[in-house]
Amino acid sequence: MVTLLLLLSILNLNTAGQTWKCQKGKIEFNSNAPLEVINAKSAELKGIIDPATSGFAFSVKNSSFRGFNSALQEEHFHESYMESHRYDVSSFTGKIIEKIDFSKSGIYTIRAKGKLNVHGVERERIIQSTIQVNGQQMSVKSTFSVPLAEHNISIPKLVHQKIAEEIQVKINADFVFQ
Amino acid sequence: MQISFFNKKYLKPSREVLNFFALTLLFFLLAHSISAQIPHFRQHPLSIENAEQLELNCLAQSPNGVMWLGSNRGLIRYNGLQMQLFPTQSPVTALFSNAKRGLWIGFENGEIAFFYKNQINIWQREEGLPKVKITGFAEDTNGNFWFSTYGEGAYCYDGIHLYNFNTDDGLTGNEIYAIAKNAQGQILLATDNGISFCQFSQGKKTVWNESSSENLPDLIVKALSQTPTNEVFAGFYNGAIGSVTQKNWVKVQGVVSTASCFDKSNVVVGTEDNGLFFIDLQHGRIDKVPNNLQISGQSRGSTLGGIGRRIQATFIDTEGNIWVISDKNKLFSANYRFLTYKTNLTDIQAIATLNTHEILLGTKEGAFNYNIKTGQIQRFLPKKINVISLFNHFGIPFIGTYGSGLFMKKPNEVNPVHFSKLNGLSNLNIFSVATRDDTLWVASLSGFFRILQGQKGWDVVHFNSRNGLSTDFIYKIFEDSQHRIWLGTDGKGTTLFDGQTFRHFNQSKNNKAFGSVIGIAESPKGTIWLANTEGGIFYGNETVGFEEWQTTNNFTRQSLTGLTTDAFGTVIVLSNHGIEFINPTTRSRALFGSELGLTTFESGINPFSFTASSDLWFATSTDLVRMPSLLIKPKLRPTPILRGVKILMENVDFDNITSFSHNQNYITFEIEGIWHTHPQAVRYRYRLDGLDPDWQTTKEHNLTYPNLPAGTYIFRLQASQSDDFTNAEEVTYTFTIEKPLWQRIWFILLMALIFSGLGFLFIKKREERLNFQAELKREKIESQLEMLKSQISPHFLFNSFNTLIATIENDPKSAVEYTERLSDFYRNILQVREKNTISLQEELNLLENYIFLLRQRHGDAISVEIKTVRFDKKIVPLTLQLLVENAVKHNVVSKSRPLSISILELEDGYLEVKNNVRKKLDKERSTGFGLSSLKSRYQLLTPQKVSVTETEESFIVKIPLI
């Protein structure tokens, strides 16, 4: 709930107006390095889209990721790379470039332009997504890559065979118009 | 007097001073209007099916010169002669090409593609591509690639991600009409609310705007154009145009839709509704292309003349041609290097630029001032004089006449200074004037003069043949960068005067006489260039001498009237053929003749003049031509292109494939040469190194070599718009036609290896066989020795002789037979011992003798039974004799114990020799050699073995028959 409030404040939304809300979305990342594959998921992706302004905000707590190969891998993920104790929240906030009529059901390819905050470093990105609007329901699917260097996540030389320089991220979130 | 080059006009007047002051009482102004400074346009037919449905949107040029057109039906490649359509789903709305990135294509549906390997490839981005029209591309100094859209602002690609710039980032609008880069490397975007300046560096966006109506003539910015020095010009809805930094706005009638800058003062502006304009900021001229402009290549009977009203796009190519798309599907081009002015003056003999907008022209009728701004022609001097030379020295014009001396007109003084016999100018025919500082040098038909302004007036010093000149007739005087004077003489070459002495140069190193020199110039590196009236050109200096500048293909100029050099060192020559540009470094030469559309190239001997801003003007006897000093140095030659290579009529990927098999030897080269200025003039010179000994010239675009023999070849191609190919750019293609399998070295080596291997094996086998034979021979000799030893053993002989003695007494008759048999036996032994094998029959014969001898001694105590059939079979000689002998040797032979020996031929091809065993008590000493030698001899001859079986009763030896 704290996260959602944070998102609302980022978007500077009028809570009286109706928005698309996602309480539980899925986010998955994949690091496909030569020596080790890391694949972790979180079902706690939060998101909000304001159809009036095309604004949006997504966030996820790094600590909510599950499914590491080992406890050691998970520990490294949080302590060495993400530094989750300092930067627990990764977020993406901005505006959709396309003008979409959310009241019309259908499948749309949209590009979301915003600030991607990972590891406390904010980078502007355009992320392409497919959205399917079905009345009051909407699903958002997206795949994108995050080059670690862009977010000051440095990989020790010794383990660079174990962590890909670019992490593939997949999002699958269901929204409700409230 | 030799004045071979003189036109009649020079010969007519006398040398006397004509009293022009008396003749011209009436001052009158000659006002002629001159046609606008618009280059010669031609229309390009759209050689594509259903061209009437074609809508052209944009233009770009590849570094190799190929033009690309964006249309509603796709991308069009244009080589100046033919168009090739690459169809696309969405209309092409923007094009961009440079050497680094290649050709990029923007579509109406927002997609972006790049052209690679003759194909349009859609750019795939993780971020996705815009969904609105692409309006333009640009590249900034950080290496970022930008493109603008109509509705989504602009995008920047840093090599990793795409970034969007829109109103959220501070842009003045998301509908971008145009994009350009400025000298600071910033990206300018034109919108309905002004201009946005964008920058992207290290992930940081910077945007600021010029959107106040105080700084801009109008807020709706429709067009942007970069000059070669990256100054950006903006064109506005209200017709204003000008440099964004200089804000030197001028206005055309109409809504600006497009603009292209040759440089910071020459701009072509297209409007949405009022046609095309040429803007010359330096001279303050705006020329609208007239609606009825004569355009070559325009289809006859077409009701719409001229360029058209609605201009979609303009573009300037590397040759200095301006390209225009108008009225949806009309394509035009014109060479902007030459701006022609048709004057009503005739017999123009000299030209000098006065300032930015005034040109002095000298004719037989006098000196005239042509105002570029107004297009008006006025008499410069009120006198009717025959002007043959003009010179502008820092704003002070000097007018040299034929017969009337020299005039100097200071701008702020009403009356000109007249140099004549009164102030020391003893000859009044002034062909040339030169100066770099205060000293004025004047060439005449009586030597030359040095004029200096002294304290009390003009100080005129006369130099003529009495001072050391080779002739008094001087046509050209030139002061070089070291303030030395070079003279062009009549028939006597050139003379260098360093202030003290004269040095004469009459001929080049190859003994070509200089003759009458009428053109002298100096290139930036200090080389002196000379031209004579016969068209010869020479270069060099007083130290190293002069070389003749030779041109290939026997190109000769019948008459040459002027030579000069520009700031780049290009040598410019005016002759009957047209105007030539020679690049001494690359030795390339470009000639422009009929394509300029001039009446004539005939001129006086002072036809060139540079303005302070390095524009070159030249005057023929009727026309005035300006070559704007463009910052881009236009190309002088077509670019040769190898478009395709076909093997047996099939296209091959010749970038990667350079080797063909021996039967792929029918090769076709598709060639192209891009010269938009005059595409029909392009010809090629080619040579296939490895086959052609010499260059071939052609105008064909397909060259076929059938049945090439195996070998390595280099195909060389050059293109030119004239017959001159000196130092022409060259494309090459190196390829190999492989030898057939049986002629290839590796195959031959392999075969040699195989044969030598076989030979080696053969020799080895033979050696083995020889060894084997030697072994056999050794065995045989040993066996023979043993045999002889045994046969002549004292026992045998002793026994034989005892037998013989006994027989002689009892039966002399049989003694004779015995002796005969004995001798037969020994003879037989001697006969067969050399042989490896003998027939069974022979052996049996021998054995019979032996048995006879034994019988004589032992009588019936020995019985030998022989059952054989195959007498032709072979056997090692003395085998049976040996075995029988052994049997006798080792066994008791007596009547009570007879020895029976049987020799049987077995069915399996063996011969069995068997005897019953009655061992002697006192064994005869045996070496055992006989049997083992027999065994080894058989081993050498046959794989079948000799077997020996010994039981209590019998001793059996089985011998293989061979």
Side-chain angles (χ1 to χ4, degrees), chain A residues 95 97-99 109-113 115 123-128 143-147 150 166 168, chain B residues 125-132 152 155 158 160-166 168-169 200 202-203 205:
Chain A
K95 263 171 96 175
I97 294 176
E98 284 85 358
K99 297 277 170 279
T109 305
I110 56 121
R111 284 165 301 139
K113 167 187 170 186
K115 308 267 192 216
R123 294 292 298 225
E124 187 175 319
R125 292 291 300 273
I126 298 171
I127 292 172
Q128 188 169 244
T143 312
F144 59 96
S145 57
V146 180
E150 285 186 0
E166 239 183 52
Q168 300 302 315
Chain B
R125 295 296 315 159
E126 180 188 290
E127 295 95 339
L129 288 173
K131 299 207 173 57
V132 294
E152 290 181 10
Y155 288 84
D158 67 351
I160 303 165
H161 299 301
L162 269 184
Y163 300 92
N164 173 258
F165 284 69
N166 62 16
D168 293 339
D169 303 287
F200 186 78
Q202 292 170 336
K205 289 172 166 181

Short mmCIF file of all heavy atoms in Angstrom, two decimals, chain A residues 95 97-99 109-113 115 123-128 143-147 150 166 168, chain B residues 125-132 152 155 158 160-166 168-169 200 202-203 205:
data_model
loop_
_atom_site.label_atom_id
_atom_site.label_comp_id
_atom_site.label_asym_id
_atom_site.label_seq_id
_atom_site.Cartn_x
_atom_site.Cartn_y
_atom_site.Cartn_z
N LYS A 95 5.07 8.63 -19.29
CA LYS A 95 3.86 8.84 -20.08
C LYS A 95 3.90 7.95 -21.31
O LYS A 95 4.97 7.68 -21.87
CB LYS A 95 3.76 10.30 -20.53
CG LYS A 95 2.88 11.15 -19.62
CD LYS A 95 3.00 12.61 -19.99
CE LYS A 95 1.90 13.07 -20.92
NZ LYS A 95 1.97 14.53 -21.16
N ILE A 97 3.53 7.37 -25.11
CA ILE A 97 3.69 8.28 -26.27
C ILE A 97 2.41 8.31 -27.10
O ILE A 97 1.94 9.38 -27.49
CB ILE A 97 4.90 7.83 -27.13
CG1 ILE A 97 6.19 8.01 -26.34
CG2 ILE A 97 4.93 8.61 -28.43
CD1 ILE A 97 7.44 7.53 -27.06
N GLU A 98 1.83 7.15 -27.34
CA GLU A 98 0.64 7.09 -28.16
C GLU A 98 -0.58 7.60 -27.39
O GLU A 98 -0.65 7.49 -26.18
CB GLU A 98 0.35 5.64 -28.60
CG GLU A 98 1.25 5.14 -29.70
CD GLU A 98 2.56 4.59 -29.18
OE1 GLU A 98 2.78 4.64 -27.95
OE2 GLU A 98 3.37 4.12 -29.99
N LYS A 99 -1.53 8.11 -28.14
CA LYS A 99 -2.82 8.49 -27.53
C LYS A 99 -3.74 7.28 -27.71
O LYS A 99 -4.11 6.94 -28.83
CB LYS A 99 -3.42 9.72 -28.23
CG LYS A 99 -2.55 10.95 -28.09
CD LYS A 99 -2.80 11.67 -26.76
CE LYS A 99 -1.77 12.76 -26.51
NZ LYS A 99 -0.47 12.26 -25.97
N THR A 109 -0.44 -1.71 -29.44
CA THR A 109 1.00 -1.67 -29.15
C THR A 109 1.32 -0.24 -28.77
O THR A 109 1.04 0.69 -29.55
CB THR A 109 1.81 -2.09 -30.38
OG1 THR A 109 1.35 -3.36 -30.80
CG2 THR A 109 3.28 -2.19 -30.05
N ILE A 110 1.85 -0.07 -27.60
CA ILE A 110 2.15 1.29 -27.15
C ILE A 110 3.61 1.39 -26.75
O ILE A 110 4.29 0.38 -26.54
CB ILE A 110 1.26 1.69 -25.94
CG1 ILE A 110 1.44 0.66 -24.80
CG2 ILE A 110 -0.19 1.79 -26.33
CD1 ILE A 110 1.94 1.24 -23.55
N ARG A 111 4.09 2.63 -26.74
CA ARG A 111 5.45 2.84 -26.24
C ARG A 111 5.38 3.77 -25.03
O ARG A 111 4.80 4.85 -25.11
CB ARG A 111 6.32 3.45 -27.34
CG ARG A 111 6.74 2.42 -28.39
CD ARG A 111 7.26 3.08 -29.62
NE ARG A 111 6.24 3.95 -30.19
CZ ARG A 111 6.49 5.15 -30.69
NH1 ARG A 111 7.71 5.60 -30.73
NH2 ARG A 111 5.51 5.89 -31.16
N ALA A 112 5.93 3.28 -23.94
CA ALA A 112 5.91 4.04 -22.71
C ALA A 112 7.25 4.73 -22.56
O ALA A 112 8.30 4.10 -22.59
CB ALA A 112 5.66 3.11 -21.53
N LYS A 113 7.21 6.05 -22.44
CA LYS A 113 8.45 6.81 -22.29
C LYS A 113 8.53 7.26 -20.85
O LYS A 113 7.59 7.87 -20.33
CB LYS A 113 8.38 8.02 -23.23
CG LYS A 113 9.42 9.09 -23.01
CD LYS A 113 9.11 10.28 -23.89
CE LYS A 113 9.96 11.49 -23.55
NZ LYS A 113 9.55 12.65 -24.32
N LYS A 115 11.03 7.22 -16.86
CA LYS A 115 12.31 7.08 -16.14
C LYS A 115 12.33 5.70 -15.50
O LYS A 115 11.46 5.37 -14.70
CB LYS A 115 12.43 8.13 -15.04
CG LYS A 115 12.18 9.55 -15.53
CD LYS A 115 13.47 10.22 -15.93
CE LYS A 115 13.24 11.71 -16.14
NZ LYS A 115 14.03 12.25 -17.22
N ARG A 123 17.24 6.21 -15.47
CA ARG A 123 17.57 6.36 -16.89
C ARG A 123 16.29 6.52 -17.66
O ARG A 123 15.31 5.83 -17.42
CB ARG A 123 18.28 5.10 -17.41
CG ARG A 123 19.64 4.87 -16.81
CD ARG A 123 20.63 5.90 -17.21
NE ARG A 123 20.88 5.92 -18.64
CZ ARG A 123 22.11 5.99 -19.17
NH1 ARG A 123 23.16 6.03 -18.38
NH2 ARG A 123 22.26 6.02 -20.47
N GLU A 124 16.35 7.42 -18.64
CA GLU A 124 15.16 7.54 -19.48
C GLU A 124 15.12 6.40 -20.47
O GLU A 124 16.14 6.05 -21.07
CB GLU A 124 15.13 8.87 -20.22
CG GLU A 124 13.80 9.02 -20.93
CD GLU A 124 13.63 10.36 -21.60
OE1 GLU A 124 14.01 11.37 -21.01
OE2 GLU A 124 13.09 10.36 -22.72
N ARG A 125 13.93 5.82 -20.62
CA ARG A 125 13.79 4.70 -21.53
C ARG A 125 12.45 4.77 -22.26
O ARG A 125 11.50 5.39 -21.79
CB ARG A 125 13.85 3.36 -20.78
CG ARG A 125 15.19 3.02 -20.18
CD ARG A 125 16.22 2.71 -21.25
NE ARG A 125 15.80 1.58 -22.06
CZ ARG A 125 16.04 0.32 -21.76
NH1 ARG A 125 16.74 0.02 -20.68
NH2 ARG A 125 15.61 -0.66 -22.53
N ILE A 126 12.44 4.13 -23.42
CA ILE A 126 11.16 3.90 -24.09
C ILE A 126 10.95 2.39 -24.05
O ILE A 126 11.84 1.64 -24.45
CB ILE A 126 11.18 4.40 -25.54
CG1 ILE A 126 11.41 5.90 -25.60
CG2 ILE A 126 9.89 4.02 -26.26
CD1 ILE A 126 11.65 6.45 -26.98
N ILE A 127 9.82 1.96 -23.52
CA ILE A 127 9.56 0.53 -23.42
C ILE A 127 8.28 0.22 -24.18
O ILE A 127 7.23 0.84 -23.95
CB ILE A 127 9.48 0.07 -21.95
CG1 ILE A 127 10.89 0.19 -21.33
CG2 ILE A 127 8.96 -1.35 -21.85
CD1 ILE A 127 10.94 -0.04 -19.86
N GLN A 128 8.41 -0.69 -25.12
CA GLN A 128 7.25 -1.05 -25.93
C GLN A 128 6.45 -2.13 -25.21
O GLN A 128 7.01 -3.07 -24.66
CB GLN A 128 7.73 -1.56 -27.29
CG GLN A 128 6.59 -1.78 -28.26
CD GLN A 128 7.09 -2.03 -29.67
OE1 GLN A 128 6.84 -1.26 -30.58
NE2 GLN A 128 7.81 -3.10 -29.85
N THR A 143 8.34 -6.75 -22.82
CA THR A 143 9.67 -7.33 -22.69
C THR A 143 10.68 -6.23 -22.98
O THR A 143 10.52 -5.51 -23.96
CB THR A 143 9.86 -8.46 -23.71
OG1 THR A 143 8.73 -9.30 -23.65
CG2 THR A 143 11.10 -9.27 -23.41
N PHE A 144 11.68 -6.11 -22.17
CA PHE A 144 12.72 -5.12 -22.43
C PHE A 144 14.03 -5.55 -21.78
O PHE A 144 14.06 -6.50 -20.99
CB PHE A 144 12.30 -3.72 -21.97
CG PHE A 144 11.99 -3.62 -20.50
CD1 PHE A 144 12.94 -3.17 -19.60
CD2 PHE A 144 10.73 -3.97 -20.01
CE1 PHE A 144 12.65 -3.06 -18.24
CE2 PHE A 144 10.44 -3.87 -18.66
CZ PHE A 144 11.39 -3.43 -17.77
N SER A 145 15.07 -4.85 -22.11
CA SER A 145 16.36 -5.23 -21.57
C SER A 145 16.91 -4.09 -20.71
O SER A 145 16.63 -2.91 -20.96
CB SER A 145 17.33 -5.54 -22.70
OG SER A 145 17.43 -4.43 -23.53
N VAL A 146 17.67 -4.46 -19.72
CA VAL A 146 18.30 -3.46 -18.86
C VAL A 146 19.81 -3.72 -18.87
O VAL A 146 20.27 -4.70 -18.29
CB VAL A 146 17.76 -3.56 -17.42
CG1 VAL A 146 18.42 -2.51 -16.54
CG2 VAL A 146 16.25 -3.41 -17.39
N PRO A 147 20.56 -2.86 -19.54
CA PRO A 147 22.01 -3.00 -19.47
C PRO A 147 22.47 -2.60 -18.06
O PRO A 147 22.18 -1.51 -17.60
CB PRO A 147 22.53 -2.04 -20.52
CG PRO A 147 21.33 -1.68 -21.35
CD PRO A 147 20.15 -1.79 -20.45
N GLU A 150 24.29 0.73 -17.28
CA GLU A 150 23.53 1.98 -17.27
C GLU A 150 23.02 2.33 -15.88
O GLU A 150 22.63 3.45 -15.63
CB GLU A 150 22.33 1.86 -18.22
CG GLU A 150 22.72 1.94 -19.68
CD GLU A 150 21.53 1.96 -20.60
OE1 GLU A 150 20.39 1.92 -20.10
OE2 GLU A 150 21.75 2.02 -21.81
N GLU A 166 23.41 -7.62 -19.95
CA GLU A 166 22.07 -7.11 -20.20
C GLU A 166 21.06 -8.09 -19.64
O GLU A 166 21.11 -9.28 -19.96
CB GLU A 166 21.85 -6.96 -21.71
CG GLU A 166 21.53 -5.54 -22.10
CD GLU A 166 21.24 -5.39 -23.58
OE1 GLU A 166 20.39 -6.14 -24.09
OE2 GLU A 166 21.87 -4.54 -24.20
N GLN A 168 17.29 -9.41 -19.26
CA GLN A 168 16.01 -9.38 -19.97
C GLN A 168 14.88 -9.37 -18.94
O GLN A 168 14.88 -10.19 -18.01
CB GLN A 168 15.85 -10.62 -20.86
CG GLN A 168 16.92 -10.76 -21.91
CD GLN A 168 17.00 -9.57 -22.85
OE1 GLN A 168 15.96 -9.08 -23.30
NE2 GLN A 168 18.20 -9.08 -23.10
N ARG B 125 13.57 -2.29 -33.55
CA ARG B 125 13.97 -1.71 -32.27
C ARG B 125 13.16 -2.31 -31.14
O ARG B 125 11.95 -2.50 -31.28
CB ARG B 125 13.74 -0.19 -32.27
CG ARG B 125 14.59 0.61 -33.23
CD ARG B 125 16.05 0.53 -32.92
NE ARG B 125 16.31 0.71 -31.49
CZ ARG B 125 17.43 0.30 -30.90
NH1 ARG B 125 18.37 -0.30 -31.60
NH2 ARG B 125 17.60 0.49 -29.63
N GLU B 126 13.82 -2.58 -30.01
CA GLU B 126 13.12 -3.05 -28.82
C GLU B 126 12.09 -2.01 -28.37
O GLU B 126 11.01 -2.36 -27.91
CB GLU B 126 14.14 -3.30 -27.71
CG GLU B 126 13.56 -3.81 -26.42
CD GLU B 126 14.60 -3.84 -25.30
OE1 GLU B 126 15.51 -4.67 -25.39
OE2 GLU B 126 14.48 -3.04 -24.36
N GLU B 127 12.47 -0.74 -28.56
CA GLU B 127 11.58 0.34 -28.10
C GLU B 127 10.37 0.50 -29.01
O GLU B 127 9.44 1.22 -28.68
CB GLU B 127 12.32 1.68 -28.09
CG GLU B 127 13.46 1.77 -27.10
CD GLU B 127 14.79 1.45 -27.74
OE1 GLU B 127 14.79 0.79 -28.81
OE2 GLU B 127 15.82 1.83 -27.18
N GLY B 128 10.40 -0.11 -30.16
CA GLY B 128 9.36 0.13 -31.15
C GLY B 128 9.68 1.38 -31.94
O GLY B 128 10.59 2.13 -31.60
N LEU B 129 8.98 1.60 -33.03
CA LEU B 129 9.23 2.77 -33.88
C LEU B 129 8.00 3.67 -33.84
O LEU B 129 6.92 3.24 -33.43
CB LEU B 129 9.52 2.31 -35.31
CG LEU B 129 10.90 1.66 -35.49
CD1 LEU B 129 11.06 1.09 -36.88
CD2 LEU B 129 12.02 2.65 -35.21
N PRO B 130 8.16 4.93 -34.24
CA PRO B 130 7.02 5.87 -34.18
C PRO B 130 5.83 5.36 -34.99
O PRO B 130 5.95 4.47 -35.83
CB PRO B 130 7.59 7.14 -34.79
CG PRO B 130 9.05 7.03 -34.66
CD PRO B 130 9.37 5.58 -34.72
N LYS B 131 4.69 5.96 -34.70
CA LYS B 131 3.48 5.59 -35.44
C LYS B 131 3.01 6.73 -36.33
O LYS B 131 1.93 6.66 -36.90
CB LYS B 131 2.39 5.18 -34.46
CG LYS B 131 2.82 3.98 -33.62
CD LYS B 131 1.66 3.17 -33.14
CE LYS B 131 2.09 1.89 -32.45
NZ LYS B 131 2.99 2.12 -31.30
N VAL B 132 3.83 7.76 -36.38
CA VAL B 132 3.48 8.91 -37.23
C VAL B 132 4.60 9.16 -38.23
O VAL B 132 5.70 8.61 -38.11
CB VAL B 132 3.23 10.18 -36.38
CG1 VAL B 132 2.00 10.00 -35.50
CG2 VAL B 132 4.45 10.48 -35.51
N GLU B 152 5.10 13.07 -32.87
CA GLU B 152 5.72 12.48 -31.68
C GLU B 152 7.02 13.17 -31.33
O GLU B 152 7.83 12.63 -30.58
CB GLU B 152 5.99 10.98 -31.90
CG GLU B 152 4.74 10.13 -31.94
CD GLU B 152 5.06 8.65 -32.14
OE1 GLU B 152 6.25 8.27 -32.05
OE2 GLU B 152 4.12 7.88 -32.38
N TYR B 155 13.38 11.88 -32.15
CA TYR B 155 14.02 10.76 -31.46
C TYR B 155 15.52 10.86 -31.66
O TYR B 155 16.00 11.33 -32.70
CB TYR B 155 13.53 9.43 -32.04
CG TYR B 155 12.11 9.10 -31.66
CD1 TYR B 155 11.04 9.61 -32.38
CD2 TYR B 155 11.84 8.26 -30.58
CE1 TYR B 155 9.73 9.32 -32.05
CE2 TYR B 155 10.53 7.95 -30.24
CZ TYR B 155 9.48 8.48 -30.96
OH TYR B 155 8.20 8.17 -30.61
N ASP B 158 21.42 6.77 -29.55
CA ASP B 158 22.82 6.92 -29.14
C ASP B 158 23.63 5.66 -29.42
O ASP B 158 24.72 5.49 -28.91
CB ASP B 158 22.90 7.31 -27.66
CG ASP B 158 22.43 6.19 -26.73
OD1 ASP B 158 21.88 5.18 -27.23
OD2 ASP B 158 22.61 6.33 -25.51
N ILE B 160 22.56 2.74 -28.50
CA ILE B 160 22.03 1.70 -27.60
C ILE B 160 20.51 1.81 -27.52
O ILE B 160 19.80 0.87 -27.83
CB ILE B 160 22.65 1.82 -26.19
CG1 ILE B 160 24.18 1.73 -26.29
CG2 ILE B 160 22.12 0.72 -25.28
CD1 ILE B 160 24.90 2.17 -25.04
N HIS B 161 20.05 2.98 -27.09
CA HIS B 161 18.61 3.17 -26.93
C HIS B 161 18.11 4.29 -27.82
O HIS B 161 18.88 5.14 -28.27
CB HIS B 161 18.28 3.56 -25.48
CG HIS B 161 18.67 2.53 -24.48
ND1 HIS B 161 18.19 1.25 -24.50
CD2 HIS B 161 19.49 2.62 -23.40
CE1 HIS B 161 18.70 0.58 -23.47
NE2 HIS B 161 19.51 1.38 -22.80
N LEU B 162 16.80 4.28 -27.99
CA LEU B 162 16.12 5.40 -28.63
C LEU B 162 15.59 6.30 -27.53
O LEU B 162 15.04 5.80 -26.54
CB LEU B 162 14.93 4.90 -29.45
CG LEU B 162 15.10 4.55 -30.90
CD1 LEU B 162 13.75 4.17 -31.47
CD2 LEU B 162 15.66 5.73 -31.67
N TYR B 163 15.73 7.59 -27.68
CA TYR B 163 15.18 8.53 -26.71
C TYR B 163 14.22 9.45 -27.44
O TYR B 163 14.47 9.85 -28.58
CB TYR B 163 16.29 9.34 -26.06
CG TYR B 163 17.28 8.47 -25.32
CD1 TYR B 163 18.42 7.99 -25.95
CD2 TYR B 163 17.04 8.08 -24.00
CE1 TYR B 163 19.30 7.17 -25.30
CE2 TYR B 163 17.94 7.25 -23.34
CZ TYR B 163 19.06 6.80 -23.98
OH TYR B 163 19.94 5.97 -23.33
N ASN B 164 13.15 9.78 -26.76
CA ASN B 164 12.14 10.63 -27.39
C ASN B 164 12.22 12.04 -26.81
O ASN B 164 12.42 12.23 -25.61
CB ASN B 164 10.75 10.02 -27.13
CG ASN B 164 9.64 10.94 -27.59
OD1 ASN B 164 9.02 11.62 -26.78
ND2 ASN B 164 9.41 10.95 -28.89
N PHE B 165 12.11 13.00 -27.69
CA PHE B 165 12.03 14.40 -27.28
C PHE B 165 10.67 14.90 -27.72
O PHE B 165 10.39 14.91 -28.93
CB PHE B 165 13.10 15.25 -27.98
CG PHE B 165 14.48 15.08 -27.43
CD1 PHE B 165 15.17 13.90 -27.60
CD2 PHE B 165 15.11 16.12 -26.76
CE1 PHE B 165 16.46 13.74 -27.11
CE2 PHE B 165 16.40 15.98 -26.26
CZ PHE B 165 17.08 14.79 -26.43
N ASN B 166 9.83 15.31 -26.76
CA ASN B 166 8.55 15.90 -27.16
C ASN B 166 8.24 17.08 -26.25
O ASN B 166 9.12 17.56 -25.52
CB ASN B 166 7.45 14.85 -27.21
CG ASN B 166 7.20 14.20 -25.87
OD1 ASN B 166 7.63 14.71 -24.83
ND2 ASN B 166 6.52 13.05 -25.89
N ASP B 168 6.78 17.28 -23.55
CA ASP B 168 7.07 17.02 -22.14
C ASP B 168 8.51 17.38 -21.79
O ASP B 168 8.84 17.64 -20.64
CB ASP B 168 6.86 15.53 -21.81
CG ASP B 168 5.39 15.15 -21.93
OD1 ASP B 168 4.54 16.06 -21.86
OD2 ASP B 168 5.10 13.95 -22.11
N ASP B 169 9.39 17.30 -22.79
CA ASP B 169 10.79 17.64 -22.57
C ASP B 169 11.06 19.11 -22.86
O ASP B 169 12.20 19.56 -22.78
CB ASP B 169 11.68 16.78 -23.46
CG ASP B 169 11.46 15.31 -23.23
OD1 ASP B 169 11.90 14.81 -22.19
OD2 ASP B 169 10.82 14.66 -24.10
N PHE B 200 21.82 15.87 -26.77
CA PHE B 200 21.78 14.66 -25.96
C PHE B 200 23.21 14.23 -25.73
O PHE B 200 23.96 13.97 -26.66
CB PHE B 200 21.00 13.55 -26.68
CG PHE B 200 20.80 12.34 -25.82
CD1 PHE B 200 19.83 12.34 -24.84
CD2 PHE B 200 21.59 11.22 -25.98
CE1 PHE B 200 19.64 11.24 -24.04
CE2 PHE B 200 21.42 10.10 -25.17
CZ PHE B 200 20.44 10.12 -24.20
N GLN B 202 25.58 11.96 -22.82
CA GLN B 202 25.73 11.11 -21.65
C GLN B 202 24.41 10.90 -20.92
O GLN B 202 24.30 11.07 -19.71
CB GLN B 202 26.77 11.70 -20.69
CG GLN B 202 28.15 11.64 -21.32
CD GLN B 202 29.19 12.41 -20.56
OE1 GLN B 202 28.85 13.34 -19.82
NE2 GLN B 202 30.44 12.06 -20.74
N GLY B 203 23.41 10.58 -21.69
CA GLY B 203 22.11 10.26 -21.10
C GLY B 203 21.31 11.48 -20.68
O GLY B 203 20.23 11.35 -20.13
N LYS B 205 19.31 14.99 -21.51
CA LYS B 205 18.65 15.76 -22.56
C LYS B 205 18.74 17.24 -22.23
O LYS B 205 18.59 17.63 -21.08
CB LYS B 205 17.16 15.41 -22.59
CG LYS B 205 16.81 14.05 -23.10
CD LYS B 205 15.34 13.83 -22.86
CE LYS B 205 14.80 12.66 -23.62
NZ LYS B 205 13.36 12.50 -23.36
#
